[in-house]
Amino acid sequence: MKNVVNEVTIKLLGKSCNESFARSALSFFIMQLDPNIDELNDIKTAVSEAVTNSIVHGYRNTLGIITMNIKITDDNCVHIIIRDKGCGIENISKAREPMFTTGDSDRSGMGFTIMESFMDKLSVSSKPGKGTVVKMVKKITAKKES
Amino acid sequence: MKIKSEIRGSILKICLTGELGHHEAIEAISQIKDELSDGKYLQAVLDLTGLSFMDSSGIAVVMKAYKTAQNADIKLAVKVENGHKKRILLAAGLNKIIDFI
Ligand SMILES: Nc1ncnc2c1ncn2[C@@H]1O[C@H](COP(=O)(O)OP(=O)(O)OP(=O)(O)O)[C@@H](O)[C@H]1O
Ligand SMILES: [Mg+2]
């Protein structure tokens, strides 16, 4: 990782009404990189997927803290870490397959697939009973001076 | 998220605005079901162009709208512009069963 130029960490209670707060806080913070609308939406979507997963799966029927850490590095990259101390994932590679879900009919099993395709890098680590950490990176293209 | 509908002849247009994530999805599904069973239409358009944000929760919303419409013999199309919303719906393969306009 190149030098960190800015960083923020936010702790959220895992309530679904905080999902839009997480997206807005993220948008606000990464504005300093002047992303285009597609880049911004891609990152917002990926973060929404990860935070929703912590709420819906990690803390299913319980309420816990979700930590969102965002770093900006001098190579114009956004590094995001979403962490929960929920139930964890038994089989990560299975969980990352498209259409795989342990959720109800409101879930489609596409969250990880979307995070992977909308971001440049995705890594997932998890321990059953301990929690889950999702790390993502996306490079923001530099705008030409006009 | 807000939902408004317009009727033009036998076509019902259901317009979603605001943000559609997990928090808004259940309400969206129930309102869309109400709109679709609220009269007799031959066609309906689910207009997502007014949504400033949507994540994978939108997949289930569109799927449930499609199934409700199918049960009511209504032909449903989804209106969505190019961008993150369309890419999410395409990733789930919804274009194979629903017309995108
Ligand atoms: N933070 C987490 N804690 C525990 N389990 C998780 C977590 N994130 C994901 N999972 C597991 O991985 C599966 C796949 O996640 P993914 O986001 O791809 O799909 P989904 O959440 O089930 O559906 P969608 O994201 O399309 O609404 C989940 O069904 C769940 O079993
Ligand atoms: Mg998910």
mmCIF file with all atom_site columns, all heavy atoms in Angstrom, chain A residues 16 19 23 42 45 48-49 52 105-108 110 118, chain B residues 19 22-23 53 55-57 59-60 64 84 87 91:
data_model
loop_
_atom_site.group_PDB
_atom_site.id
_atom_site.type_symbol
_atom_site.label_atom_id
_atom_site.label_alt_id
_atom_site.label_comp_id
_atom_site.label_asym_id
_atom_site.label_entity_id
_atom_site.label_seq_id
_atom_site.pdbx_PDB_ins_code
_atom_site.Cartn_x
_atom_site.Cartn_y
_atom_site.Cartn_z
_atom_site.occupancy
_atom_site.B_iso_or_equiv
_atom_site.pdbx_formal_charge
_atom_site.auth_seq_id
_atom_site.auth_comp_id
_atom_site.auth_asym_id
_atom_site.auth_atom_id
_atom_site.pdbx_PDB_model_num
ATOM 1   N N   . SER A 1 16  ? -30.636 -1.491  10.365  1.00 0.00 ? 16  SER A N   1
ATOM 2   C CA  . SER A 1 16  ? -30.738 -1.277  8.919   1.00 0.00 ? 16  SER A CA  1
ATOM 3   C C   . SER A 1 16  ? -30.855 0.204   8.561   1.00 0.00 ? 16  SER A C   1
ATOM 4   O O   . SER A 1 16  ? -30.448 0.618   7.481   1.00 0.00 ? 16  SER A O   1
ATOM 5   C CB  . SER A 1 16  ? -31.892 -2.077  8.330   1.00 0.00 ? 16  SER A CB  1
ATOM 6   O OG  . SER A 1 16  ? -33.121 -1.582  8.809   1.00 0.00 ? 16  SER A OG  1
ATOM 7   N N   . GLU A 1 19  ? -27.639 1.852   7.326   1.00 0.00 ? 19  GLU A N   1
ATOM 8   C CA  . GLU A 1 19  ? -27.035 1.521   6.031   1.00 0.00 ? 19  GLU A CA  1
ATOM 9   C C   . GLU A 1 19  ? -26.873 2.771   5.171   1.00 0.00 ? 19  GLU A C   1
ATOM 10  O O   . GLU A 1 19  ? -25.824 2.976   4.552   1.00 0.00 ? 19  GLU A O   1
ATOM 11  C CB  . GLU A 1 19  ? -27.903 0.492   5.283   1.00 0.00 ? 19  GLU A CB  1
ATOM 12  C CG  . GLU A 1 19  ? -27.907 -0.883  5.943   1.00 0.00 ? 19  GLU A CG  1
ATOM 13  C CD  . GLU A 1 19  ? -29.121 -1.732  5.592   1.00 0.00 ? 19  GLU A CD  1
ATOM 14  O OE1 . GLU A 1 19  ? -30.000 -1.266  4.817   1.00 0.00 ? 19  GLU A OE1 1
ATOM 15  O OE2 . GLU A 1 19  ? -29.202 -2.858  6.098   1.00 0.00 ? 19  GLU A OE2 1
ATOM 16  N N   . ARG A 1 23  ? -23.392 4.691   3.705   1.00 0.00 ? 23  ARG A N   1
ATOM 17  C CA  . ARG A 1 23  ? -23.159 5.075   2.302   1.00 0.00 ? 23  ARG A CA  1
ATOM 18  C C   . ARG A 1 23  ? -22.886 6.561   2.180   1.00 0.00 ? 23  ARG A C   1
ATOM 19  O O   . ARG A 1 23  ? -21.993 6.991   1.418   1.00 0.00 ? 23  ARG A O   1
ATOM 20  C CB  . ARG A 1 23  ? -24.393 4.722   1.449   1.00 0.00 ? 23  ARG A CB  1
ATOM 21  C CG  . ARG A 1 23  ? -24.684 3.240   1.346   1.00 0.00 ? 23  ARG A CG  1
ATOM 22  C CD  . ARG A 1 23  ? -25.711 2.971   0.265   1.00 0.00 ? 23  ARG A CD  1
ATOM 23  N NE  . ARG A 1 23  ? -27.037 3.507   0.530   1.00 0.00 ? 23  ARG A NE  1
ATOM 24  C CZ  . ARG A 1 23  ? -28.042 2.811   1.048   1.00 0.00 ? 23  ARG A CZ  1
ATOM 25  N NH1 . ARG A 1 23  ? -27.883 1.534   1.378   1.00 0.00 ? 23  ARG A NH1 1
ATOM 26  N NH2 . ARG A 1 23  ? -29.219 3.371   1.238   1.00 0.00 ? 23  ARG A NH2 1
ATOM 27  N N   . ASP A 1 42  ? -20.265 2.707   -7.681  1.00 0.00 ? 42  ASP A N   1
ATOM 28  C CA  . ASP A 1 42  ? -19.684 1.372   -7.502  1.00 0.00 ? 42  ASP A CA  1
ATOM 29  C C   . ASP A 1 42  ? -19.239 1.173   -6.053  1.00 0.00 ? 42  ASP A C   1
ATOM 30  O O   . ASP A 1 42  ? -19.511 0.139   -5.439  1.00 0.00 ? 42  ASP A O   1
ATOM 31  C CB  . ASP A 1 42  ? -18.464 1.188   -8.422  1.00 0.00 ? 42  ASP A CB  1
ATOM 32  C CG  . ASP A 1 42  ? -18.871 0.967   -9.875  1.00 0.00 ? 42  ASP A CG  1
ATOM 33  O OD1 . ASP A 1 42  ? -20.081 0.930   -10.160 1.00 0.00 ? 42  ASP A OD1 1
ATOM 34  O OD2 . ASP A 1 42  ? -17.967 0.826   -10.721 1.00 0.00 ? 42  ASP A OD2 1
ATOM 35  N N   . THR A 1 45  ? -22.172 1.031   -3.644  1.00 0.00 ? 45  THR A N   1
ATOM 36  C CA  . THR A 1 45  ? -22.874 -0.253  -3.737  1.00 0.00 ? 45  THR A CA  1
ATOM 37  C C   . THR A 1 45  ? -22.109 -1.334  -2.972  1.00 0.00 ? 45  THR A C   1
ATOM 38  O O   . THR A 1 45  ? -22.696 -2.082  -2.186  1.00 0.00 ? 45  THR A O   1
ATOM 39  C CB  . THR A 1 45  ? -23.053 -0.671  -5.219  1.00 0.00 ? 45  THR A CB  1
ATOM 40  O OG1 . THR A 1 45  ? -23.675 0.401   -5.927  1.00 0.00 ? 45  THR A OG1 1
ATOM 41  C CG2 . THR A 1 45  ? -23.915 -1.915  -5.340  1.00 0.00 ? 45  THR A CG2 1
ATOM 42  N N   . SER A 1 48  ? -22.469 -0.848  0.701   1.00 0.00 ? 48  SER A N   1
ATOM 43  C CA  . SER A 1 48  ? -23.835 -1.185  1.095   1.00 0.00 ? 48  SER A CA  1
ATOM 44  C C   . SER A 1 48  ? -23.994 -2.705  1.209   1.00 0.00 ? 48  SER A C   1
ATOM 45  O O   . SER A 1 48  ? -24.622 -3.207  2.146   1.00 0.00 ? 48  SER A O   1
ATOM 46  C CB  . SER A 1 48  ? -24.805 -0.615  0.055   1.00 0.00 ? 48  SER A CB  1
ATOM 47  O OG  . SER A 1 48  ? -26.118 -0.638  0.536   1.00 0.00 ? 48  SER A OG  1
ATOM 48  N N   . GLU A 1 49  ? -23.391 -3.436  0.273   1.00 0.00 ? 49  GLU A N   1
ATOM 49  C CA  . GLU A 1 49  ? -23.457 -4.910  0.315   1.00 0.00 ? 49  GLU A CA  1
ATOM 50  C C   . GLU A 1 49  ? -22.789 -5.454  1.577   1.00 0.00 ? 49  GLU A C   1
ATOM 51  O O   . GLU A 1 49  ? -23.338 -6.308  2.271   1.00 0.00 ? 49  GLU A O   1
ATOM 52  C CB  . GLU A 1 49  ? -22.763 -5.521  -0.917  1.00 0.00 ? 49  GLU A CB  1
ATOM 53  C CG  . GLU A 1 49  ? -23.400 -5.187  -2.263  1.00 0.00 ? 49  GLU A CG  1
ATOM 54  C CD  . GLU A 1 49  ? -24.834 -5.670  -2.398  1.00 0.00 ? 49  GLU A CD  1
ATOM 55  O OE1 . GLU A 1 49  ? -25.257 -6.552  -1.641  1.00 0.00 ? 49  GLU A OE1 1
ATOM 56  O OE2 . GLU A 1 49  ? -25.552 -5.143  -3.269  1.00 0.00 ? 49  GLU A OE2 1
ATOM 57  N N   . THR A 1 52  ? -24.720 -4.385  4.788   1.00 0.00 ? 52  THR A N   1
ATOM 58  C CA  . THR A 1 52  ? -25.978 -5.140  4.853   1.00 0.00 ? 52  THR A CA  1
ATOM 59  C C   . THR A 1 52  ? -25.712 -6.593  5.261   1.00 0.00 ? 52  THR A C   1
ATOM 60  O O   . THR A 1 52  ? -26.444 -7.169  6.068   1.00 0.00 ? 52  THR A O   1
ATOM 61  C CB  . THR A 1 52  ? -26.721 -5.074  3.498   1.00 0.00 ? 52  THR A CB  1
ATOM 62  O OG1 . THR A 1 52  ? -26.977 -3.710  3.195   1.00 0.00 ? 52  THR A OG1 1
ATOM 63  C CG2 . THR A 1 52  ? -28.041 -5.831  3.546   1.00 0.00 ? 52  THR A CG2 1
ATOM 64  N N   . SER A 1 105 ? -35.983 -15.206 1.184   1.00 0.00 ? 105 SER A N   1
ATOM 65  C CA  . SER A 1 105 ? -36.288 -14.925 -0.222  1.00 0.00 ? 105 SER A CA  1
ATOM 66  C C   . SER A 1 105 ? -36.025 -13.466 -0.609  1.00 0.00 ? 105 SER A C   1
ATOM 67  O O   . SER A 1 105 ? -36.106 -13.112 -1.777  1.00 0.00 ? 105 SER A O   1
ATOM 68  C CB  . SER A 1 105 ? -37.742 -15.274 -0.517  1.00 0.00 ? 105 SER A CB  1
ATOM 69  O OG  . SER A 1 105 ? -38.578 -14.335 0.146   1.00 0.00 ? 105 SER A OG  1
ATOM 70  N N   . ASP A 1 106 ? -35.711 -12.623 0.371   1.00 0.00 ? 106 ASP A N   1
ATOM 71  C CA  . ASP A 1 106 ? -35.364 -11.241 0.045   1.00 0.00 ? 106 ASP A CA  1
ATOM 72  C C   . ASP A 1 106 ? -33.891 -11.113 -0.361  1.00 0.00 ? 106 ASP A C   1
ATOM 73  O O   . ASP A 1 106 ? -33.444 -10.040 -0.758  1.00 0.00 ? 106 ASP A O   1
ATOM 74  C CB  . ASP A 1 106 ? -35.617 -10.318 1.242   1.00 0.00 ? 106 ASP A CB  1
ATOM 75  C CG  . ASP A 1 106 ? -37.103 -10.161 1.518   1.00 0.00 ? 106 ASP A CG  1
ATOM 76  O OD1 . ASP A 1 106 ? -37.902 -10.352 0.571   1.00 0.00 ? 106 ASP A OD1 1
ATOM 77  O OD2 . ASP A 1 106 ? -37.467 -9.865  2.666   1.00 0.00 ? 106 ASP A OD2 1
ATOM 78  N N   . ARG A 1 107 ? -33.129 -12.188 -0.219  1.00 0.00 ? 107 ARG A N   1
ATOM 79  C CA  . ARG A 1 107 ? -31.715 -12.153 -0.565  1.00 0.00 ? 107 ARG A CA  1
ATOM 80  C C   . ARG A 1 107 ? -31.501 -12.970 -1.832  1.00 0.00 ? 107 ARG A C   1
ATOM 81  O O   . ARG A 1 107 ? -32.157 -13.981 -2.047  1.00 0.00 ? 107 ARG A O   1
ATOM 82  C CB  . ARG A 1 107 ? -30.855 -12.728 0.575   1.00 0.00 ? 107 ARG A CB  1
ATOM 83  C CG  . ARG A 1 107 ? -31.174 -12.100 1.931   1.00 0.00 ? 107 ARG A CG  1
ATOM 84  C CD  . ARG A 1 107 ? -30.292 -10.912 2.283   1.00 0.00 ? 107 ARG A CD  1
ATOM 85  N NE  . ARG A 1 107 ? -30.202 -9.855  1.324   1.00 0.00 ? 107 ARG A NE  1
ATOM 86  C CZ  . ARG A 1 107 ? -30.894 -8.701  1.406   1.00 0.00 ? 107 ARG A CZ  1
ATOM 87  N NH1 . ARG A 1 107 ? -31.757 -8.489  2.350   1.00 0.00 ? 107 ARG A NH1 1
ATOM 88  N NH2 . ARG A 1 107 ? -30.713 -7.776  0.506   1.00 0.00 ? 107 ARG A NH2 1
ATOM 89  N N   . SER A 1 108 ? -30.565 -12.507 -2.658  1.00 0.00 ? 108 SER A N   1
ATOM 90  C CA  . SER A 1 108 ? -30.372 -13.204 -3.919  1.00 0.00 ? 108 SER A CA  1
ATOM 91  C C   . SER A 1 108 ? -28.999 -13.847 -4.050  1.00 0.00 ? 108 SER A C   1
ATOM 92  O O   . SER A 1 108 ? -28.694 -14.474 -5.053  1.00 0.00 ? 108 SER A O   1
ATOM 93  C CB  . SER A 1 108 ? -30.618 -12.236 -5.068  1.00 0.00 ? 108 SER A CB  1
ATOM 94  O OG  . SER A 1 108 ? -29.911 -11.049 -4.819  1.00 0.00 ? 108 SER A OG  1
ATOM 95  N N   . MET A 1 110 ? -26.107 -12.356 -4.340  1.00 0.00 ? 110 MET A N   1
ATOM 96  C CA  . MET A 1 110 ? -25.272 -11.649 -5.321  1.00 0.00 ? 110 MET A CA  1
ATOM 97  C C   . MET A 1 110 ? -24.334 -10.620 -4.693  1.00 0.00 ? 110 MET A C   1
ATOM 98  O O   . MET A 1 110 ? -23.563 -9.967  -5.394  1.00 0.00 ? 110 MET A O   1
ATOM 99  C CB  . MET A 1 110 ? -26.170 -10.957 -6.344  1.00 0.00 ? 110 MET A CB  1
ATOM 100 C CG  . MET A 1 110 ? -26.929 -11.918 -7.251  1.00 0.00 ? 110 MET A CG  1
ATOM 101 S SD  . MET A 1 110 ? -25.852 -13.022 -8.170  1.00 0.00 ? 110 MET A SD  1
ATOM 102 C CE  . MET A 1 110 ? -25.071 -11.844 -9.272  1.00 0.00 ? 110 MET A CE  1
ATOM 103 N N   . PHE A 1 118 ? -17.508 -4.704  -8.775  1.00 0.00 ? 118 PHE A N   1
ATOM 104 C CA  . PHE A 1 118 ? -17.534 -3.239  -8.704  1.00 0.00 ? 118 PHE A CA  1
ATOM 105 C C   . PHE A 1 118 ? -16.234 -2.660  -8.133  1.00 0.00 ? 118 PHE A C   1
ATOM 106 O O   . PHE A 1 118 ? -15.968 -1.471  -8.281  1.00 0.00 ? 118 PHE A O   1
ATOM 107 C CB  . PHE A 1 118 ? -18.714 -2.750  -7.852  1.00 0.00 ? 118 PHE A CB  1
ATOM 108 C CG  . PHE A 1 118 ? -20.054 -2.800  -8.582  1.00 0.00 ? 118 PHE A CG  1
ATOM 109 C CD1 . PHE A 1 118 ? -20.271 -3.640  -9.651  1.00 0.00 ? 118 PHE A CD1 1
ATOM 110 C CD2 . PHE A 1 118 ? -21.105 -1.975  -8.175  1.00 0.00 ? 118 PHE A CD2 1
ATOM 111 C CE1 . PHE A 1 118 ? -21.501 -3.673  -10.311 1.00 0.00 ? 118 PHE A CE1 1
ATOM 112 C CE2 . PHE A 1 118 ? -22.338 -1.989  -8.832  1.00 0.00 ? 118 PHE A CE2 1
ATOM 113 C CZ  . PHE A 1 118 ? -22.533 -2.840  -9.897  1.00 0.00 ? 118 PHE A CZ  1
ATOM 114 N N   . GLU B 2 19  ? -33.519 6.170   -2.439  1.00 0.00 ? 19  GLU B N   1
ATOM 115 C CA  . GLU B 2 19  ? -32.536 5.092   -2.346  1.00 0.00 ? 19  GLU B CA  1
ATOM 116 C C   . GLU B 2 19  ? -33.230 3.776   -2.025  1.00 0.00 ? 19  GLU B C   1
ATOM 117 O O   . GLU B 2 19  ? -34.121 3.734   -1.185  1.00 0.00 ? 19  GLU B O   1
ATOM 118 C CB  . GLU B 2 19  ? -31.527 5.380   -1.221  1.00 0.00 ? 19  GLU B CB  1
ATOM 119 C CG  . GLU B 2 19  ? -30.757 6.677   -1.406  1.00 0.00 ? 19  GLU B CG  1
ATOM 120 C CD  . GLU B 2 19  ? -29.485 6.718   -0.569  1.00 0.00 ? 19  GLU B CD  1
ATOM 121 O OE1 . GLU B 2 19  ? -29.432 6.040   0.477   1.00 0.00 ? 19  GLU B OE1 1
ATOM 122 O OE2 . GLU B 2 19  ? -28.546 7.414   -0.987  1.00 0.00 ? 19  GLU B OE2 1
ATOM 123 N N   . HIS B 2 22  ? -31.431 -2.529  1.566   1.00 0.00 ? 22  HIS B N   1
ATOM 124 C CA  . HIS B 2 22  ? -32.087 -3.531  2.409   1.00 0.00 ? 22  HIS B CA  1
ATOM 125 C C   . HIS B 2 22  ? -33.140 -2.903  3.327   1.00 0.00 ? 22  HIS B C   1
ATOM 126 O O   . HIS B 2 22  ? -34.225 -3.440  3.510   1.00 0.00 ? 22  HIS B O   1
ATOM 127 C CB  . HIS B 2 22  ? -30.986 -4.252  3.214   1.00 0.00 ? 22  HIS B CB  1
ATOM 128 C CG  . HIS B 2 22  ? -31.444 -4.920  4.461   1.00 0.00 ? 22  HIS B CG  1
ATOM 129 N ND1 . HIS B 2 22  ? -31.076 -4.480  5.707   1.00 0.00 ? 22  HIS B ND1 1
ATOM 130 C CD2 . HIS B 2 22  ? -32.238 -5.989  4.652   1.00 0.00 ? 22  HIS B CD2 1
ATOM 131 C CE1 . HIS B 2 22  ? -31.620 -5.270  6.613   1.00 0.00 ? 22  HIS B CE1 1
ATOM 132 N NE2 . HIS B 2 22  ? -32.323 -6.185  6.007   1.00 0.00 ? 22  HIS B NE2 1
ATOM 133 N N   . HIS B 2 23  ? -32.823 -1.707  3.859   1.00 0.00 ? 23  HIS B N   1
ATOM 134 C CA  . HIS B 2 23  ? -33.735 -1.052  4.797   1.00 0.00 ? 23  HIS B CA  1
ATOM 135 C C   . HIS B 2 23  ? -35.075 -0.676  4.150   1.00 0.00 ? 23  HIS B C   1
ATOM 136 O O   . HIS B 2 23  ? -36.112 -0.676  4.798   1.00 0.00 ? 23  HIS B O   1
ATOM 137 C CB  . HIS B 2 23  ? -33.058 0.207   5.362   1.00 0.00 ? 23  HIS B CB  1
ATOM 138 C CG  . HIS B 2 23  ? -33.888 0.947   6.373   1.00 0.00 ? 23  HIS B CG  1
ATOM 139 N ND1 . HIS B 2 23  ? -34.192 0.413   7.615   1.00 0.00 ? 23  HIS B ND1 1
ATOM 140 C CD2 . HIS B 2 23  ? -34.486 2.164   6.335   1.00 0.00 ? 23  HIS B CD2 1
ATOM 141 C CE1 . HIS B 2 23  ? -34.936 1.284   8.283   1.00 0.00 ? 23  HIS B CE1 1
ATOM 142 N NE2 . HIS B 2 23  ? -35.138 2.349   7.533   1.00 0.00 ? 23  HIS B NE2 1
ATOM 143 N N   . PHE B 2 53  ? -29.893 5.479   -5.823  1.00 0.00 ? 53  PHE B N   1
ATOM 144 C CA  . PHE B 2 53  ? -29.042 4.375   -5.382  1.00 0.00 ? 53  PHE B CA  1
ATOM 145 C C   . PHE B 2 53  ? -29.844 3.093   -5.296  1.00 0.00 ? 53  PHE B C   1
ATOM 146 O O   . PHE B 2 53  ? -31.016 3.098   -4.902  1.00 0.00 ? 53  PHE B O   1
ATOM 147 C CB  . PHE B 2 53  ? -28.427 4.671   -4.000  1.00 0.00 ? 53  PHE B CB  1
ATOM 148 C CG  . PHE B 2 53  ? -27.626 3.518   -3.472  1.00 0.00 ? 53  PHE B CG  1
ATOM 149 C CD1 . PHE B 2 53  ? -26.335 3.295   -3.915  1.00 0.00 ? 53  PHE B CD1 1
ATOM 150 C CD2 . PHE B 2 53  ? -28.182 2.608   -2.580  1.00 0.00 ? 53  PHE B CD2 1
ATOM 151 C CE1 . PHE B 2 53  ? -25.606 2.194   -3.471  1.00 0.00 ? 53  PHE B CE1 1
ATOM 152 C CE2 . PHE B 2 53  ? -27.459 1.506   -2.132  1.00 0.00 ? 53  PHE B CE2 1
ATOM 153 C CZ  . PHE B 2 53  ? -26.170 1.309   -2.578  1.00 0.00 ? 53  PHE B CZ  1
ATOM 154 N N   . ASP B 2 55  ? -28.903 -1.326  -4.376  1.00 0.00 ? 55  ASP B N   1
ATOM 155 C CA  . ASP B 2 55  ? -27.925 -2.413  -4.253  1.00 0.00 ? 55  ASP B CA  1
ATOM 156 C C   . ASP B 2 55  ? -28.615 -3.739  -4.557  1.00 0.00 ? 55  ASP B C   1
ATOM 157 O O   . ASP B 2 55  ? -29.700 -3.749  -5.143  1.00 0.00 ? 55  ASP B O   1
ATOM 158 C CB  . ASP B 2 55  ? -27.220 -2.379  -2.881  1.00 0.00 ? 55  ASP B CB  1
ATOM 159 C CG  . ASP B 2 55  ? -28.166 -2.654  -1.715  1.00 0.00 ? 55  ASP B CG  1
ATOM 160 O OD1 . ASP B 2 55  ? -29.301 -3.126  -1.947  1.00 0.00 ? 55  ASP B OD1 1
ATOM 161 O OD2 . ASP B 2 55  ? -27.753 -2.392  -0.572  1.00 0.00 ? 55  ASP B OD2 1
ATOM 162 N N   . SER B 2 56  ? -28.026 -4.853  -4.137  1.00 0.00 ? 56  SER B N   1
ATOM 163 C CA  . SER B 2 56  ? -28.582 -6.160  -4.512  1.00 0.00 ? 56  SER B CA  1
ATOM 164 C C   . SER B 2 56  ? -29.989 -6.384  -3.959  1.00 0.00 ? 56  SER B C   1
ATOM 165 O O   . SER B 2 56  ? -30.695 -7.276  -4.431  1.00 0.00 ? 56  SER B O   1
ATOM 166 C CB  . SER B 2 56  ? -27.655 -7.286  -4.039  1.00 0.00 ? 56  SER B CB  1
ATOM 167 O OG  . SER B 2 56  ? -27.666 -7.359  -2.622  1.00 0.00 ? 56  SER B OG  1
ATOM 168 N N   . SER B 2 57  ? -30.409 -5.578  -2.973  1.00 0.00 ? 57  SER B N   1
ATOM 169 C CA  . SER B 2 57  ? -31.776 -5.688  -2.472  1.00 0.00 ? 57  SER B CA  1
ATOM 170 C C   . SER B 2 57  ? -32.783 -5.423  -3.588  1.00 0.00 ? 57  SER B C   1
ATOM 171 O O   . SER B 2 57  ? -33.913 -5.918  -3.540  1.00 0.00 ? 57  SER B O   1
ATOM 172 C CB  . SER B 2 57  ? -32.009 -4.693  -1.332  1.00 0.00 ? 57  SER B CB  1
ATOM 173 O OG  . SER B 2 57  ? -31.029 -4.854  -0.340  1.00 0.00 ? 57  SER B OG  1
ATOM 174 N N   . ILE B 2 59  ? -32.691 -6.577  -6.520  1.00 0.00 ? 59  ILE B N   1
ATOM 175 C CA  . ILE B 2 59  ? -32.926 -7.791  -7.305  1.00 0.00 ? 59  ILE B CA  1
ATOM 176 C C   . ILE B 2 59  ? -34.213 -8.478  -6.830  1.00 0.00 ? 59  ILE B C   1
ATOM 177 O O   . ILE B 2 59  ? -35.082 -8.820  -7.632  1.00 0.00 ? 59  ILE B O   1
ATOM 178 C CB  . ILE B 2 59  ? -31.727 -8.769  -7.178  1.00 0.00 ? 59  ILE B CB  1
ATOM 179 C CG1 . ILE B 2 59  ? -30.445 -8.120  -7.727  1.00 0.00 ? 59  ILE B CG1 1
ATOM 180 C CG2 . ILE B 2 59  ? -32.020 -10.077 -7.920  1.00 0.00 ? 59  ILE B CG2 1
ATOM 181 C CD1 . ILE B 2 59  ? -29.167 -8.907  -7.410  1.00 0.00 ? 59  ILE B CD1 1
ATOM 182 N N   . ALA B 2 60  ? -34.337 -8.642  -5.509  1.00 0.00 ? 60  ALA B N   1
ATOM 183 C CA  . ALA B 2 60  ? -35.534 -9.298  -4.961  1.00 0.00 ? 60  ALA B CA  1
ATOM 184 C C   . ALA B 2 60  ? -36.775 -8.439  -5.190  1.00 0.00 ? 60  ALA B C   1
ATOM 185 O O   . ALA B 2 60  ? -37.864 -8.968  -5.434  1.00 0.00 ? 60  ALA B O   1
ATOM 186 C CB  . ALA B 2 60  ? -35.358 -9.585  -3.473  1.00 0.00 ? 60  ALA B CB  1
ATOM 187 N N   . LYS B 2 64  ? -39.860 -9.955  -7.193  1.00 0.00 ? 64  LYS B N   1
ATOM 188 C CA  . LYS B 2 64  ? -41.187 -10.073 -6.572  1.00 0.00 ? 64  LYS B CA  1
ATOM 189 C C   . LYS B 2 64  ? -42.234 -9.294  -7.356  1.00 0.00 ? 64  LYS B C   1
ATOM 190 O O   . LYS B 2 64  ? -43.380 -9.737  -7.461  1.00 0.00 ? 64  LYS B O   1
ATOM 191 C CB  . LYS B 2 64  ? -41.128 -9.667  -5.110  1.00 0.00 ? 64  LYS B CB  1
ATOM 192 C CG  . LYS B 2 64  ? -40.366 -10.734 -4.343  1.00 0.00 ? 64  LYS B CG  1
ATOM 193 C CD  . LYS B 2 64  ? -40.394 -10.602 -2.855  1.00 0.00 ? 64  LYS B CD  1
ATOM 194 C CE  . LYS B 2 64  ? -39.622 -11.803 -2.283  1.00 0.00 ? 64  LYS B CE  1
ATOM 195 N NZ  . LYS B 2 64  ? -39.569 -11.861 -0.856  1.00 0.00 ? 64  LYS B NZ  1
ATOM 196 N N   . HIS B 2 84  ? -24.970 1.605   -12.412 1.00 0.00 ? 84  HIS B N   1
ATOM 197 C CA  . HIS B 2 84  ? -24.822 0.552   -11.405 1.00 0.00 ? 84  HIS B CA  1
ATOM 198 C C   . HIS B 2 84  ? -26.093 -0.268  -11.202 1.00 0.00 ? 84  HIS B C   1
ATOM 199 O O   . HIS B 2 84  ? -26.037 -1.475  -11.009 1.00 0.00 ? 84  HIS B O   1
ATOM 200 C CB  . HIS B 2 84  ? -24.298 1.133   -10.084 1.00 0.00 ? 84  HIS B CB  1
ATOM 201 C CG  . HIS B 2 84  ? -25.321 1.822   -9.235  1.00 0.00 ? 84  HIS B CG  1
ATOM 202 N ND1 . HIS B 2 84  ? -25.870 3.049   -9.573  1.00 0.00 ? 84  HIS B ND1 1
ATOM 203 C CD2 . HIS B 2 84  ? -25.921 1.446   -8.086  1.00 0.00 ? 84  HIS B CD2 1
ATOM 204 C CE1 . HIS B 2 84  ? -26.747 3.382   -8.645  1.00 0.00 ? 84  HIS B CE1 1
ATOM 205 N NE2 . HIS B 2 84  ? -26.788 2.438   -7.729  1.00 0.00 ? 84  HIS B NE2 1
ATOM 206 N N   . ARG B 2 87  ? -26.382 -2.780  -14.019 1.00 0.00 ? 87  ARG B N   1
ATOM 207 C CA  . ARG B 2 87  ? -25.347 -3.825  -13.902 1.00 0.00 ? 87  ARG B CA  1
ATOM 208 C C   . ARG B 2 87  ? -25.705 -4.838  -12.813 1.00 0.00 ? 87  ARG B C   1
ATOM 209 O O   . ARG B 2 87  ? -25.421 -6.024  -12.952 1.00 0.00 ? 87  ARG B O   1
ATOM 210 C CB  . ARG B 2 87  ? -23.983 -3.187  -13.633 1.00 0.00 ? 87  ARG B CB  1
ATOM 211 C CG  . ARG B 2 87  ? -23.372 -2.628  -14.923 1.00 0.00 ? 87  ARG B CG  1
ATOM 212 C CD  . ARG B 2 87  ? -22.195 -1.710  -14.636 1.00 0.00 ? 87  ARG B CD  1
ATOM 213 N NE  . ARG B 2 87  ? -21.149 -2.360  -13.876 1.00 0.00 ? 87  ARG B NE  1
ATOM 214 C CZ  . ARG B 2 87  ? -20.357 -1.715  -13.008 1.00 0.00 ? 87  ARG B CZ  1
ATOM 215 N NH1 . ARG B 2 87  ? -20.516 -0.437  -12.794 1.00 0.00 ? 87  ARG B NH1 1
ATOM 216 N NH2 . ARG B 2 87  ? -19.419 -2.370  -12.373 1.00 0.00 ? 87  ARG B NH2 1
ATOM 217 N N   . ALA B 2 91  ? -26.336 -8.692  -13.627 1.00 0.00 ? 91  ALA B N   1
ATOM 218 C CA  . ALA B 2 91  ? -25.501 -9.704  -12.955 1.00 0.00 ? 91  ALA B CA  1
ATOM 219 C C   . ALA B 2 91  ? -26.373 -10.842 -12.432 1.00 0.00 ? 91  ALA B C   1
ATOM 220 O O   . ALA B 2 91  ? -25.961 -12.001 -12.414 1.00 0.00 ? 91  ALA B O   1
ATOM 221 C CB  . ALA B 2 91  ? -24.715 -9.072  -11.810 1.00 0.00 ? 91  ALA B CB  1
#
